[in-house]
Amino acid sequence: MHKSVNGLLGYEGLQVINPDGGTEDAEAESQRGRWKQEDRDGYWKMMHKYIGSDVTSMVTLPVIIFEPMTVLQKMAELMEYCHLLDLADECEDPYMRLVYASSWAISVYFAFQRTWKPFNPILGETYEMANHGGLTFISEQVSHHPPMSAGHAENEHFTYDITSKLKTKFLGNSLEIYPVGRTRVKLKKDGVILDLVPPPTKANNLIFGRTWVDSPGEMIMTNLTTGDKVVLYFQPCGWFGAGRYEVDGYVYSAEEEPKILMTGKWNESMSCQPCDQEGEPLPGTELKEIWRVAATPEKDKFQYTYFAHKINSFDTASKKLLASDSRLRPDRYALEKGDMSKAAAEKSRLEERQRAEKRNREAKGHQFTPRWFNMTGEVTPTPWGDLEVYEYNGRYTEHRARIDSSGSIDEIDINTVEFNPWQYGDLSAQ
């Protein structure tokens, strides 16, 4: 599917892939997408020198490719179908428990197929979510170089903890995204701990053609308490879209015997069925649907789900929202309102202020310290590199309890709160 775009010098080897077609229409496909011809050429001139590089935070990207959401908010999207974790916690069958929990892990891929880039968080930026499934959620940008985020969610059934350090590889017209991270879910009833390793993701046709996203490879969820695990294979998109979205695999006992087969599409639904030692469905059983994607808004500009809109709204905001919250970012808000030039100016201003703060902090010999997460000193291996693990320190739970017990009904006018993640100077007062 490799094809030089328009046969022009300087575009040789640029890969344009139409997921619904083959190579014949690569040239026509290259003219589609969100870019005007002159913007596309200019962007390619700027970007082609980065081929082969990790571009997670090194390149200042144009606002045209952004969505009005940050990476910290996108982390919260995994909580849309968190009722599946509630079901996993209530489930007596250890294998069905993994069916529910892995279906929860798959459910977010429908939202992750959006082709817009979320904003990189500012160091110290946070996102908090309440009013969803009895859940408390907090995420924080804990490192700028390399960009790292940590998140914690909790309700009566489970706790969820993640340290995430995305790694990317720019390939010209596509971007490979490696989910360097550690995800742990603790189910409270039996105290079992689940570990998740997701597949990598590839964004195709970034500059030339219509952008689309695929996540081919294995997802493995392991019950660290019992040794049971589920291994699911995300099919790569083949010719004319064949196999795209399909997910198949098995829940295995600790002895590596298949117990339940799972099948479905990550953009539609997942089902399961008990199986024999050969992986064949047991006679007299049938496929049972476990998860189905919720209805979505039609012709939404950013391909948002209803839940994504909730994440961006103040309906899910906690009382007395932290001033470091992503919702308050002026560049994000301007983009949401459709003001591209203001969004670009505000993004540039925030990035410059972050650089100035870094210079200031280093000149004073100060060290940045996250508020809600602590560095553990533990380094864990992942398929894509080592990861320094952060852990939730419990302070946010205490912070929320103080606010909730104060009985204060003074609502903060969100419009008067200025976005303020800057905190290196006076941590003692925070």
Side-chain angles (χ1 to χ4, degrees):
M1 296 191 195
H2 293 258
K3 179 127 181 180
S4 299
V5 176
N6 309 340
L8 290 177
L9 214 59
Y11 292 112
E12 292 86 351
L14 191 71
Q15 194 177 38
V16 179
I17 304 173
N18 177 355
D20 306 317
T23 49
E24 295 74 30
D25 60 351
E27 201 151 326
E29 177 62 37
S30 71
Q31 299 303 315
R32 299 178 186 138
R34 69 184 64 145
W35 299 85
K36 296 191 187 111
Q37 178 71 47
E38 61 274 19
D39 293 341
R40 198 162 45 204
D41 293 344
Y43 189 51
W44 172 248
K45 280 196 185 86
M46 177 184 97
M47 291 299 294
H48 79 272
K49 63 177 177 285
Y50 294 112
I51 287 177
S53 302
D54 182 346
V55 292
T56 311
S57 65
M58 64 187 276
V59 185
T60 300
L61 298 167
V63 167
I64 186 175
I65 66 169
F66 283 79
E67 62 177 345
M69 188 181 274
T70 70
V71 169
L72 297 176
Q73 292 173 286
K74 203 146 178 159
M75 286 167 78
E77 279 200 86
L78 190 48
M79 291 299 142
E80 176 166 8
Y81 300 96
C82 63
H83 69 278
L84 291 165
L85 288 180
D86 298 350
L87 291 171
D89 182 51
E90 290 166 353
C91 186
E92 300 291 337
D93 181 324
Y95 307 122
M96 277 305 296
R97 179 185 282 159
L98 279 172
V99 169
Y100 287 121
S102 60
S103 296
W104 161 78
I106 287 166
S107 68
V108 77
Y109 282 83
F110 178 81
F112 280 5
Q113 69 181 320
R114 290 201 303 270
T115 56
W116 307 88
K117 184 192 180 307
F119 286 94
N120 279 351
I122 300 290
L123 187 62
E125 184 174 332
T126 56
Y127 176 76
E128 48 185 323
M129 179 173 73
N131 312 325
H132 173 69
L135 196 72
T136 307
F137 178 94
I138 177 75
S139 53
E140 180 176 17
Q141 191 71 359
V142 293
S143 166
H144 182 54
H145 283 299
M148 290 180 70
S149 317
H152 174 81
E154 187 163 356
N155 71 4
E156 61 178 326
H157 289 289
F158 68 87
T159 59
Y160 160 83
D161 289 281
I162 183 168
T163 303
S164 173
K165 179 172 82 170
L166 284 184
K167 198 170 159 184
T168 60
K169 189 174 185 183
F170 181 64
L171 300 171
N173 201 33
S174 63
L175 183 72
E176 289 182 349
I177 303 151
Y178 309 106
V180 181
R182 189 176 85 168
T183 300
R184 292 277 164 90
V185 175
K186 181 176 181 179
L187 301 176
K188 290 186 172 180
K189 194 169 121 190
D190 287 347
V192 301
I193 294 173
L194 308 176
D195 176 78
L196 175 69
V197 180
T201 293
K202 187 173 183 181
N204 300 282
N205 297 1
L206 287 181
I207 307 170
F208 297 90
R210 293 165 298 175
T211 310
W212 59 281
V213 176
D214 205 16
S215 296
E218 275 186 345
M219 171 186 280
I220 301 172
M221 181 178 269
T222 307
N223 182 332
L224 298 177
T225 312
T226 64
D228 305 332
K229 66 178 176 184
V230 54
V231 181
L232 295 165
Y233 184 66
F234 285 56
Q235 301 284 349
C237 178
W239 289 101
F240 301 100
R244 191 176 178 199
Y245 310 117
E246 288 176 13
V247 181
D248 298 285
Y250 293 93
V251 177
Y252 295 93
S253 67
E255 295 72 41
E256 303 202 347
E257 280 183 15
K259 293 292 182 182
I260 301 177
L261 71 84
M262 293 182 65
T263 184
K265 292 187 170 183
W266 53 257
N267 67 334
E268 279 179 21
S269 64
M270 286 302 295
S271 298
C272 72
Q273 189 169 1
C275 66
D276 62 21
Q277 290 186 1
E278 307 301 314
E280 296 299 319
L282 282 179
T285 64
E286 51 188 47
L287 270 179
K288 175 188 173 188
E289 187 172 280
I290 298 297
W291 162 78
R292 178 165 288 276
V293 74
T296 54
E298 281 184 36
K299 296 183 180 164
D300 189 88
K301 182 181 177 187
F302 292 104
Q303 303 158 299
Y304 273 13
T305 60
Y306 287 112
F307 187 63
H309 283 292
K310 258 177 86 172
I311 280 177
N312 252 349
S313 80
F314 290 98
D315 299 346
T316 51
S318 303
K319 216 163 54 163
K320 296 203 171 171
L321 189 66
L322 294 167
S324 48
D325 195 89
S326 295
R327 295 176 187 85
L328 301 170
R329 275 183 71 138
D331 51 356
R332 187 210 67 76
Y333 187 71
L335 184 59
E336 189 176 28
K337 296 295 174 221
D339 190 337
M340 298 285 275
S341 58
K342 185 172 186 198
E346 290 289 1
K347 177 174 174 286
S348 175
R349 186 178 67 82
L350 282 176
E351 287 167 351
E352 182 43 52
R353 180 153 179 196
Q354 178 164 241
R355 285 189 285 271
E357 192 205 55
K358 181 172 184 269
R359 288 192 296 270
N360 201 344
R361 186 169 60 238
E362 287 174 352
K364 292 182 176 179
H366 288 180
Q367 187 74 35
F368 172 80
T369 311
R371 288 174 72 181
W372 313 113
F373 297 87
N374 295 340
M375 199 172 192
T376 61
E378 180 187 348
V379 177
T380 189
T382 80
W384 306 281
D386 288 349
L387 175 79
E388 307 77 28
V389 177
Y390 284 77
E391 68 181 1
Y392 177 60
N393 59 24
R395 286 184 200 138
Y396 179 76
T397 306
E398 295 162 11
H399 163 79
R400 288 259 51 99
R402 276 197 303 276
I403 288 173
D404 293 343
S405 66
S406 67
S408 162
I409 50 168
D410 300 340
E411 282 303 312
I412 294 176
D413 179 6
I414 295 300
N415 298 315
T416 65
V417 179
E418 187 182 347
F419 177 60
N420 181 15
W422 325 108
Q423 48 169 267
Y424 81 89
D426 190 10
L427 276 171
S428 57
Q430 303 278 331

PDB file of all heavy atoms in Angstrom, residues 382-396:
ATOM      1  N   THR A 382       7.974  -2.856  30.721  1.00  0.00           N
ATOM      2  CA  THR A 382       6.798  -3.009  29.857  1.00  0.00           C
ATOM      3  C   THR A 382       7.333  -3.468  28.491  1.00  0.00           C
ATOM      4  O   THR A 382       8.541  -3.385  28.245  1.00  0.00           O
ATOM      5  CB  THR A 382       6.017  -1.686  29.672  1.00  0.00           C
ATOM      6  OG1 THR A 382       6.688  -0.892  28.671  1.00  0.00           O
ATOM      7  CG2 THR A 382       5.908  -0.881  30.960  1.00  0.00           C
ATOM      8  N   PRO A 383       6.445  -3.946  27.598  1.00  0.00           N
ATOM      9  CA  PRO A 383       6.944  -4.371  26.279  1.00  0.00           C
ATOM     10  C   PRO A 383       7.634  -3.254  25.491  1.00  0.00           C
ATOM     11  O   PRO A 383       8.338  -3.528  24.520  1.00  0.00           O
ATOM     12  CB  PRO A 383       5.663  -4.824  25.563  1.00  0.00           C
ATOM     13  CG  PRO A 383       4.704  -5.154  26.651  1.00  0.00           C
ATOM     14  CD  PRO A 383       5.017  -4.226  27.776  1.00  0.00           C
ATOM     15  N   TRP A 384       7.438  -1.999  25.910  1.00  0.00           N
ATOM     16  CA  TRP A 384       7.969  -0.865  25.128  1.00  0.00           C
ATOM     17  C   TRP A 384       8.960  -0.013  25.912  1.00  0.00           C
ATOM     18  O   TRP A 384       9.267   1.097  25.543  1.00  0.00           O
ATOM     19  CB  TRP A 384       6.812  -0.005  24.623  1.00  0.00           C
ATOM     20  CG  TRP A 384       5.825  -0.827  23.885  1.00  0.00           C
ATOM     21  CD1 TRP A 384       5.913  -1.270  22.596  1.00  0.00           C
ATOM     22  CD2 TRP A 384       4.598  -1.354  24.396  1.00  0.00           C
ATOM     23  NE1 TRP A 384       4.836  -2.044  22.282  1.00  0.00           N
ATOM     24  CE2 TRP A 384       3.999  -2.108  23.363  1.00  0.00           C
ATOM     25  CE3 TRP A 384       3.947  -1.267  25.626  1.00  0.00           C
ATOM     26  CZ2 TRP A 384       2.788  -2.767  23.518  1.00  0.00           C
ATOM     27  CZ3 TRP A 384       2.739  -1.921  25.785  1.00  0.00           C
ATOM     28  CH2 TRP A 384       2.178  -2.664  24.743  1.00  0.00           C
ATOM     29  N   GLY A 385       9.450  -0.550  27.027  1.00  0.00           N
ATOM     30  CA  GLY A 385      10.436   0.206  27.797  1.00  0.00           C
ATOM     31  C   GLY A 385      10.082   0.245  29.274  1.00  0.00           C
ATOM     32  O   GLY A 385       8.962  -0.091  29.670  1.00  0.00           O
ATOM     33  N   ASP A 386      11.048   0.663  30.089  1.00  0.00           N
ATOM     34  CA  ASP A 386      10.832   0.711  31.536  1.00  0.00           C
ATOM     35  C   ASP A 386       9.967   1.901  31.929  1.00  0.00           C
ATOM     36  O   ASP A 386       9.935   2.922  31.252  1.00  0.00           O
ATOM     37  CB  ASP A 386      12.177   0.797  32.267  1.00  0.00           C
ATOM     38  CG  ASP A 386      12.937  -0.518  32.212  1.00  0.00           C
ATOM     39  OD1 ASP A 386      12.321  -1.523  31.804  1.00  0.00           O
ATOM     40  OD2 ASP A 386      14.133  -0.537  32.554  1.00  0.00           O
ATOM     41  N   LEU A 387       9.302   1.741  33.064  1.00  0.00           N
ATOM     42  CA  LEU A 387       8.381   2.769  33.546  1.00  0.00           C
ATOM     43  C   LEU A 387       8.618   3.030  35.023  1.00  0.00           C
ATOM     44  O   LEU A 387       8.672   2.115  35.835  1.00  0.00           O
ATOM     45  CB  LEU A 387       6.932   2.283  33.344  1.00  0.00           C
ATOM     46  CG  LEU A 387       5.846   3.203  33.899  1.00  0.00           C
ATOM     47  CD1 LEU A 387       5.612   4.368  32.949  1.00  0.00           C
ATOM     48  CD2 LEU A 387       4.549   2.439  34.112  1.00  0.00           C
ATOM     49  N   GLU A 388       8.762   4.322  35.369  1.00  0.00           N
ATOM     50  CA  GLU A 388       8.846   4.720  36.777  1.00  0.00           C
ATOM     51  C   GLU A 388       7.405   4.799  37.299  1.00  0.00           C
ATOM     52  O   GLU A 388       6.587   5.530  36.737  1.00  0.00           O
ATOM     53  CB  GLU A 388       9.519   6.088  36.914  1.00  0.00           C
ATOM     54  CG  GLU A 388      10.872   6.204  36.236  1.00  0.00           C
ATOM     55  CD  GLU A 388      10.806   6.367  34.724  1.00  0.00           C
ATOM     56  OE1 GLU A 388       9.804   6.909  34.222  1.00  0.00           O
ATOM     57  OE2 GLU A 388      11.730   5.897  34.032  1.00  0.00           O
ATOM     58  N   VAL A 389       7.115   4.084  38.363  1.00  0.00           N
ATOM     59  CA  VAL A 389       5.722   3.969  38.828  1.00  0.00           C
ATOM     60  C   VAL A 389       5.403   5.046  39.869  1.00  0.00           C
ATOM     61  O   VAL A 389       6.158   5.261  40.819  1.00  0.00           O
ATOM     62  CB  VAL A 389       5.460   2.572  39.432  1.00  0.00           C
ATOM     63  CG1 VAL A 389       4.045   2.473  39.976  1.00  0.00           C
ATOM     64  CG2 VAL A 389       5.709   1.495  38.376  1.00  0.00           C
ATOM     65  N   TYR A 390       4.272   5.718  39.657  1.00  0.00           N
ATOM     66  CA  TYR A 390       3.723   6.652  40.650  1.00  0.00           C
ATOM     67  C   TYR A 390       2.532   5.975  41.333  1.00  0.00           C
ATOM     68  O   TYR A 390       1.817   5.196  40.704  1.00  0.00           O
ATOM     69  CB  TYR A 390       3.251   7.945  39.982  1.00  0.00           C
ATOM     70  CG  TYR A 390       4.380   8.879  39.595  1.00  0.00           C
ATOM     71  CD1 TYR A 390       5.148   8.628  38.463  1.00  0.00           C
ATOM     72  CD2 TYR A 390       4.678  10.003  40.360  1.00  0.00           C
ATOM     73  CE1 TYR A 390       6.193   9.467  38.104  1.00  0.00           C
ATOM     74  CE2 TYR A 390       5.721  10.855  40.011  1.00  0.00           C
ATOM     75  CZ  TYR A 390       6.470  10.577  38.877  1.00  0.00           C
ATOM     76  OH  TYR A 390       7.507  11.416  38.528  1.00  0.00           O
ATOM     77  N   GLU A 391       2.324   6.330  42.616  1.00  0.00           N
ATOM     78  CA  GLU A 391       1.166   5.758  43.310  1.00  0.00           C
ATOM     79  C   GLU A 391       0.340   6.876  43.924  1.00  0.00           C
ATOM     80  O   GLU A 391       0.853   7.935  44.296  1.00  0.00           O
ATOM     81  CB  GLU A 391       1.608   4.756  44.387  1.00  0.00           C
ATOM     82  CG  GLU A 391       2.326   5.387  45.561  1.00  0.00           C
ATOM     83  CD  GLU A 391       2.774   4.377  46.615  1.00  0.00           C
ATOM     84  OE1 GLU A 391       2.530   3.165  46.409  1.00  0.00           O
ATOM     85  OE2 GLU A 391       3.358   4.814  47.623  1.00  0.00           O
ATOM     86  N   TYR A 392      -0.958   6.623  44.005  1.00  0.00           N
ATOM     87  CA  TYR A 392      -1.888   7.570  44.610  1.00  0.00           C
ATOM     88  C   TYR A 392      -1.559   7.701  46.098  1.00  0.00           C
ATOM     89  O   TYR A 392      -1.346   6.698  46.785  1.00  0.00           O
ATOM     90  CB  TYR A 392      -3.310   7.054  44.411  1.00  0.00           C
ATOM     91  CG  TYR A 392      -4.368   7.905  45.048  1.00  0.00           C
ATOM     92  CD1 TYR A 392      -4.526   9.237  44.682  1.00  0.00           C
ATOM     93  CD2 TYR A 392      -5.219   7.373  46.018  1.00  0.00           C
ATOM     94  CE1 TYR A 392      -5.499  10.025  45.276  1.00  0.00           C
ATOM     95  CE2 TYR A 392      -6.202   8.151  46.602  1.00  0.00           C
ATOM     96  CZ  TYR A 392      -6.334   9.474  46.241  1.00  0.00           C
ATOM     97  OH  TYR A 392      -7.298  10.252  46.823  1.00  0.00           O
ATOM     98  N   ASN A 393      -1.495   8.944  46.599  1.00  0.00           N
ATOM     99  CA  ASN A 393      -1.079   9.132  47.997  1.00  0.00           C
ATOM    100  C   ASN A 393      -2.245   9.351  48.967  1.00  0.00           C
ATOM    101  O   ASN A 393      -2.027   9.559  50.164  1.00  0.00           O
ATOM    102  CB  ASN A 393      -0.069  10.285  48.112  1.00  0.00           C
ATOM    103  CG  ASN A 393      -0.632  11.621  47.599  1.00  0.00           C
ATOM    104  OD1 ASN A 393      -1.854  11.826  47.578  1.00  0.00           O
ATOM    105  ND2 ASN A 393       0.254  12.516  47.179  1.00  0.00           N
ATOM    106  N   GLY A 394      -3.487   9.320  48.446  1.00  0.00           N
ATOM    107  CA  GLY A 394      -4.646   9.419  49.336  1.00  0.00           C
ATOM    108  C   GLY A 394      -5.047  10.840  49.702  1.00  0.00           C
ATOM    109  O   GLY A 394      -6.105  11.071  50.294  1.00  0.00           O
ATOM    110  N   ARG A 395      -4.205  11.825  49.327  1.00  0.00           N
ATOM    111  CA  ARG A 395      -4.492  13.209  49.766  1.00  0.00           C
ATOM    112  C   ARG A 395      -5.738  13.791  49.093  1.00  0.00           C
ATOM    113  O   ARG A 395      -6.426  14.635  49.669  1.00  0.00           O
ATOM    114  CB  ARG A 395      -3.291  14.107  49.491  1.00  0.00           C
ATOM    115  CG  ARG A 395      -2.145  13.871  50.458  1.00  0.00           C
ATOM    116  CD  ARG A 395      -0.989  14.831  50.229  1.00  0.00           C
ATOM    117  NE  ARG A 395       0.216  14.270  50.824  1.00  0.00           N
ATOM    118  CZ  ARG A 395       1.410  14.284  50.262  1.00  0.00           C
ATOM    119  NH1 ARG A 395       1.569  14.828  49.059  1.00  0.00           N
ATOM    120  NH2 ARG A 395       2.452  13.771  50.871  1.00  0.00           N
ATOM    121  N   TYR A 396      -5.998  13.347  47.865  1.00  0.00           N
ATOM    122  CA  TYR A 396      -7.185  13.888  47.181  1.00  0.00           C
ATOM    123  C   TYR A 396      -8.464  13.437  47.882  1.00  0.00           C
ATOM    124  O   TYR A 396      -9.408  14.207  48.018  1.00  0.00           O
ATOM    125  CB  TYR A 396      -7.194  13.446  45.709  1.00  0.00           C
ATOM    126  CG  TYR A 396      -8.406  13.951  44.962  1.00  0.00           C
ATOM    127  CD1 TYR A 396      -8.496  15.287  44.563  1.00  0.00           C
ATOM    128  CD2 TYR A 396      -9.466  13.099  44.658  1.00  0.00           C
ATOM    129  CE1 TYR A 396      -9.615  15.758  43.898  1.00  0.00           C
ATOM    130  CE2 TYR A 396     -10.582  13.567  43.987  1.00  0.00           C
ATOM    131  CZ  TYR A 396     -10.650  14.894  43.607  1.00  0.00           C
ATOM    132  OH  TYR A 396     -11.760  15.368  42.949  1.00  0.00           O
TER     133      TYR A 396
END
